[in-house]
Amino acid sequence: MAARTVLRMGHPKLREQSRTLTREEILSQETAALLQDLQDTMEREGGIGIAAPQIGENLQATIIELPENSERYGTLNSSARFTIFNPVIEVIDEAHQGFWEGCLSVPGLRGYVERPRKVRITYLDEKAQQKVIEPEGFLATVFQHELDHLFGVLYIDRIKDPTKLSFNEEFDEFHT
Ligand code: ZN
């Protein structure tokens, strides 16, 4: 168990539909090892979420954790850690909100993406128990970004205004 290489945009595995896991699979040692690798990789890279396809496993598994003292997301409230398998997503509030997003698989860039401001996600947790969460605001964006990875979608696909795609340095200089 260890941090793994993060696949970058252009790798075909990032564009595949990932498959669901059975309850038995979720409770297996293999999946526990996968979750540990996801956690280790996310911590090494300094991300707030990571999905299994990003480390080369086309399984519907993702973890999300907003650290309490993140420099990058300093003004946000911290949240619990979420481990999510087999998510089903419904839009609760069609109103869109925009945030500048980044992605470990698209290093060095930021892009402005508008997404529904509130969603409902039904999923299985690490104990294979069904859970429902209704994230809103920035957390809704984080969940939608990570879940997109399970269906072969990257945030850049959702950028409506290409002038709002920027390298990090130019983002800091011109867009904050
Ligand atoms: Zn991403």
Side-chain angles (χ1 to χ4, degrees), residues 121-156:
I121 297 160
T122 306
Y123 63 98
L124 298 177
D125 70 7
E126 67 274 20
K127 293 173 184 159
Q129 305 284 330
Q130 185 170 295
K131 292 271 178 72
V132 179
I133 183 176
E134 295 186 358
E136 56 187 313
F138 181 72
L139 198 55
T141 276
V142 173
F143 273 83
Q144 290 173 80
H145 175 120
E146 293 309 326
L147 267 49
D148 268 352
H149 279 299
L150 308 181
F151 303 98
V153 177
L154 297 175
Y155 81 82
I156 55 153

Coordinates of all heavy atoms in Angstrom, one line a residue, residues 121-156:
I121 N -26.9 12.5 -3.5 CA -26.1 11.4 -3.9 C -26.4 10.2 -3.0 O -26.3 10.3 -1.7 CB -24.6 11.7 -3.8 CG1 -24.3 12.9 -4.8 CG2 -23.7 10.5 -4.1 CD1 -23.0 13.6 -4.5
T122 N -26.8 9.1 -3.6 CA -27.1 7.9 -2.9 C -26.0 6.9 -3.2 O -25.6 6.8 -4.4 CB -28.5 7.3 -3.4 OG1 -29.5 8.3 -3.2 CG2 -28.8 6.1 -2.5
Y123 N -25.3 6.4 -2.2 CA -24.1 5.6 -2.4 C -23.9 4.6 -1.3 O -24.7 4.5 -0.3 CB -22.9 6.6 -2.5 CG -22.6 7.3 -1.2 CD1 -21.7 6.8 -0.3 CD2 -23.4 8.4 -0.8 CE1 -21.4 7.5 0.9 CE2 -23.1 9.1 0.4 CZ -22.1 8.6 1.3 OH -21.9 9.2 2.4
L124 N -23.0 3.7 -1.5 CA -22.6 2.8 -0.5 C -21.3 3.3 0.2 O -20.4 3.7 -0.6 CB -22.4 1.4 -1.0 CG -23.6 0.7 -1.7 CD1 -23.3 -0.6 -2.3 CD2 -24.8 0.6 -0.7
D125 N -21.2 3.2 1.5 CA -19.9 3.6 2.2 C -19.0 2.4 2.3 O -19.2 1.4 1.8 CB -20.3 4.3 3.5 CG -20.8 3.3 4.6 OD1 -20.8 2.1 4.3 OD2 -21.2 3.8 5.6
E126 N -17.9 2.6 3.1 CA -16.9 1.6 3.1 C -17.3 0.4 3.9 O -16.7 -0.7 3.8 CB -15.6 2.2 3.8 CG -15.7 2.5 5.2 CD -16.2 4.0 5.4 OE1 -16.8 4.5 4.5 OE2 -16.0 4.5 6.5
K127 N -18.5 0.5 4.6 CA -19.1 -0.7 5.2 C -20.2 -1.3 4.3 O -21.0 -2.1 4.8 CB -19.6 -0.3 6.6 CG -18.5 0.0 7.6 CD -19.1 0.6 8.9 CE -18.0 1.0 9.8 NZ -18.5 2.0 10.8
A128 N -20.3 -0.8 3.1 CA -21.3 -1.3 2.2 C -22.7 -0.9 2.6 O -23.7 -1.6 2.3 CB -21.2 -2.7 1.8
Q129 N -22.8 0.1 3.5 CA -24.1 0.6 4.0 C -24.6 1.7 3.0 O -23.8 2.6 2.6 CB -24.0 1.2 5.4 CG -23.4 0.3 6.4 CD -24.4 -0.8 6.9 OE1 -25.6 -0.5 6.9 NE2 -23.9 -1.9 7.2
Q130 N -25.9 1.7 2.7 CA -26.4 2.8 1.8 C -26.5 4.1 2.6 O -27.0 4.1 3.7 CB -27.8 2.4 1.3 CG -28.2 3.4 0.3 CD -29.5 3.0 -0.5 OE1 -29.4 2.1 -1.3 NE2 -30.6 3.7 -0.3
K131 N -26.0 5.1 2.0 CA -26.1 6.5 2.6 C -26.6 7.4 1.6 O -26.5 7.2 0.3 CB -24.6 6.9 2.9 CG -24.0 6.1 4.1 CD -24.3 6.7 5.4 CE -23.8 6.0 6.6 NZ -22.3 6.1 6.7
V132 N -27.2 8.5 2.1 CA -27.6 9.6 1.2 C -27.0 10.9 1.8 O -27.0 11.1 3.0 CB -29.2 9.7 1.2 CG1 -29.6 10.9 0.3 CG2 -29.8 8.4 0.8
I133 N -26.5 11.7 0.9 CA -26.0 13.0 1.3 C -26.5 14.1 0.3 O -26.7 13.8 -0.9 CB -24.4 13.0 1.3 CG1 -23.9 14.4 1.8 CG2 -23.8 12.7 0.0 CD1 -22.5 14.5 2.0
E134 N -26.7 15.3 0.8 CA -27.2 16.3 -0.1 C -26.3 17.5 0.1 O -26.6 18.5 0.7 CB -28.7 16.7 0.3 CG -29.6 15.6 0.1 CD -31.1 16.0 0.3 OE1 -31.3 17.2 0.7 OE2 -32.0 15.2 0.1
P135 N -25.1 17.4 -0.6 CA -24.2 18.5 -0.5 C -24.6 19.8 -1.3 O -25.3 19.6 -2.4 CB -22.9 18.0 -1.1 CG -23.4 16.9 -2.0 CD -24.6 16.3 -1.4
E136 N -24.3 20.9 -0.8 CA -24.6 22.1 -1.6 C -23.4 23.1 -1.5 O -22.5 22.8 -0.8 CB -25.9 22.8 -1.0 CG -25.8 23.2 0.5 CD -27.2 23.7 0.9 OE1 -27.8 24.5 0.3 OE2 -27.7 23.2 2.0
G137 N -23.5 24.1 -2.3 CA -22.4 25.0 -2.3 C -21.1 24.4 -2.9 O -21.2 23.5 -3.8
F138 N -20.0 24.8 -2.4 CA -18.7 24.3 -2.9 C -18.6 22.8 -2.8 O -18.1 22.1 -3.7 CB -17.5 24.9 -2.3 CG -16.2 24.5 -2.8 CD1 -15.8 24.9 -4.1 CD2 -15.4 23.6 -2.1 CE1 -14.6 24.4 -4.6 CE2 -14.2 23.2 -2.6 CZ -13.8 23.6 -3.8
L139 N -19.1 22.2 -1.7 CA -19.1 20.8 -1.5 C -19.8 20.0 -2.6 O -19.4 18.9 -3.0 CB -19.6 20.4 -0.1 CG -19.2 19.0 0.4 CD1 -17.7 18.8 0.4 CD2 -19.8 18.8 1.8
A140 N -20.9 20.6 -3.1 CA -21.7 20.0 -4.2 C -20.8 19.9 -5.4 O -20.8 18.9 -6.2 CB -22.9 20.8 -4.5
T141 N -20.0 21.0 -5.7 CA -19.1 21.0 -6.8 C -18.0 19.9 -6.6 O -17.7 19.2 -7.6 CB -18.5 22.4 -7.0 OG1 -19.4 23.2 -7.7 CG2 -17.2 22.3 -7.7
V142 N -17.5 19.8 -5.4 CA -16.4 18.8 -5.2 C -17.0 17.4 -5.5 O -16.3 16.6 -6.2 CB -15.9 18.9 -3.7 CG1 -14.9 17.7 -3.4 CG2 -15.2 20.2 -3.5
F143 N -18.2 17.1 -5.0 CA -18.7 15.8 -5.2 C -19.0 15.5 -6.7 O -18.7 14.5 -7.2 CB -20.1 15.6 -4.4 CG -19.9 15.1 -3.0 CD1 -19.6 16.0 -2.0 CD2 -20.0 13.8 -2.7 CE1 -19.4 15.6 -0.7 CE2 -19.8 13.3 -1.4 CZ -19.5 14.2 -0.4
Q144 N -19.6 16.5 -7.4 CA -19.8 16.3 -8.8 C -18.6 16.1 -9.6 O -18.5 15.3 -10.5 CB -20.7 17.5 -9.3 CG -22.1 17.5 -8.8 CD -22.8 18.8 -9.1 OE1 -23.3 18.9 -10.3 NE2 -22.9 19.7 -8.2
H145 N -17.5 16.9 -9.2 CA -16.2 16.7 -9.9 C -15.7 15.3 -9.7 O -15.3 14.6 -10.7 CB -15.2 17.7 -9.3 CG -13.8 17.6 -9.9 ND1 -13.2 18.6 -10.6 CD2 -12.9 16.6 -9.8 CE1 -12.0 18.2 -10.9 NE2 -11.8 17.0 -10.5
E146 N -15.7 14.8 -8.5 CA -15.2 13.4 -8.3 C -16.0 12.4 -8.9 O -15.5 11.4 -9.5 CB -15.0 13.2 -6.8 CG -14.0 14.0 -6.1 CD -12.6 14.0 -6.7 OE1 -12.2 13.0 -7.3 OE2 -12.0 15.1 -6.7
L147 N -17.3 12.5 -8.8 CA -18.2 11.5 -9.4 C -18.1 11.5 -10.9 O -18.2 10.4 -11.5 CB -19.7 11.8 -9.0 CG -20.1 11.0 -7.7 CD1 -19.2 11.1 -6.6 CD2 -21.5 11.5 -7.3
D148 N -17.9 12.7 -11.5 CA -17.6 12.7 -13.0 C -16.5 11.7 -13.4 O -16.6 11.1 -14.4 CB -17.2 14.1 -13.4 CG -18.4 15.0 -13.8 OD1 -19.6 14.4 -13.9 OD2 -18.2 16.2 -14.1
H149 N -15.5 11.6 -12.6 CA -14.3 10.8 -12.9 C -14.8 9.3 -13.1 O -14.2 8.6 -13.8 CB -13.3 10.8 -11.8 CG -12.3 12.0 -11.8 ND1 -11.5 12.2 -12.9 CD2 -12.1 13.0 -11.0 CE1 -10.8 13.3 -12.7 NE2 -11.1 13.8 -11.5
L150 N -15.8 8.9 -12.4 CA -16.3 7.5 -12.4 C -17.0 7.2 -13.7 O -17.3 6.1 -14.1 CB -17.2 7.2 -11.2 CG -16.6 7.6 -9.9 CD1 -17.6 7.2 -8.8 CD2 -15.3 6.9 -9.7
F151 N -17.3 8.3 -14.5 CA -18.1 8.2 -15.7 C -17.3 8.7 -16.9 O -17.9 9.0 -17.9 CB -19.5 8.9 -15.5 CG -20.2 8.3 -14.4 CD1 -20.3 8.9 -13.1 CD2 -20.9 7.0 -14.5 CE1 -20.9 8.4 -12.1 CE2 -21.6 6.5 -13.4 CZ -21.6 7.2 -12.2
G152 N -16.0 8.9 -16.7 CA -15.2 9.3 -17.8 C -15.2 10.7 -18.2 O -14.8 11.1 -19.3
V153 N -15.6 11.6 -17.3 CA -15.7 13.0 -17.5 C -14.7 13.8 -16.7 O -14.5 13.5 -15.6 CB -17.2 13.5 -17.2 CG1 -17.3 15.0 -17.4 CG2 -18.2 12.8 -18.0
L154 N -14.1 14.8 -17.4 CA -13.1 15.7 -16.7 C -13.7 17.1 -16.7 O -14.6 17.4 -17.5 CB -11.8 15.7 -17.4 CG -11.0 14.4 -17.5 CD1 -9.8 14.5 -18.4 CD2 -10.6 13.9 -16.1
Y155 N -13.3 17.8 -15.7 CA -13.9 19.2 -15.5 C -13.8 20.0 -16.7 O -14.6 20.9 -17.0 CB -13.4 19.9 -14.3 CG -12.1 20.6 -14.4 CD1 -12.0 21.9 -15.0 CD2 -10.9 20.0 -14.0 CE1 -10.8 22.5 -15.1 CE2 -9.7 20.6 -14.1 CZ -9.6 21.9 -14.7 OH -8.4 22.5 -14.8
I156 N -12.7 19.8 -17.5 CA -12.5 20.7 -18.7 C -13.6 20.5 -19.7 O -13.9 21.4 -20.5 CB -11.1 20.4 -19.3 CG1 -10.9 19.0 -19.7 CG2 -10.0 20.9 -18.5 CD1 -10.0 18.8 -20.8

